[in-house]
Amino acid sequence: MGPKQIVAELAGPGPHAIGQAAGSRSADLEKAHRTAEEFEALFLAQMLAPIFEQLGTDPLFGGGPGEEVYRSMMVQEYGKAIARSGGVGIADAVQREILRLQESQP
């Protein structure tokens, strides 16, 4: 799912009703935060990938296509770990934009 689809999904059917329970609002905030963090993790993984592409394979572990597959998985996990530990600030901006789009829906 791409960033536009994620934002569209979170934008939902419209703004929250005045009498809606606070629990639902906090669930929306949590969902927006989780989605923004996932977006930041994806972005960071894409930025880290070229760094690891330049590394050769270690003959001790055999190299080959298996190592390339696991390396890409490792880079994805690095992106997730960086995003979970505070990231670089992208998630905060994305979350604000998601919430702004939710509030502006008719």
Side-chain angles (χ1 to χ4, degrees):
M1 181 181 300
K4 288 183 180 180
Q5 289 85 6
I6 291 171
V7 171
E9 178 185 325
L10 285 173
H16 299 289
I18 294 174
Q20 190 174 22
S24 178
R25 177 70 177 158
S26 66
D28 287 344
L29 289 173
E30 178 59 33
K31 187 175 179 183
H33 175 72
R34 192 172 50 250
T35 303
E37 191 173 278
E38 289 172 7
F39 178 81
E40 183 172 19
L42 176 66
F43 175 81
L44 290 170
Q46 292 297 312
M47 294 296 105
L48 291 172
I51 296 170
F52 289 93
E53 287 174 359
Q54 301 302 318
L55 297 177
T57 58
D58 187 358
L60 178 64
F61 296 108
E67 187 170 337
E68 291 175 20
V69 170
Y70 285 111
R71 183 176 290 167
S72 70
M73 291 169 63
M74 178 187 70
V75 170
Q76 289 175 359
E77 291 303 314
Y78 280 164
K80 290 177 187 177
I82 294 169
R84 275 194 308 265
S85 65
V88 294
I90 296 170
D92 295 334
V94 170
Q95 181 180 358
R96 280 192 305 271
E97 187 65 19
I98 289 170
L99 295 173
R100 187 186 67 76
L101 287 171
Q102 280 181 336
E103 292 171 357
S104 69
Q105 291 291 321

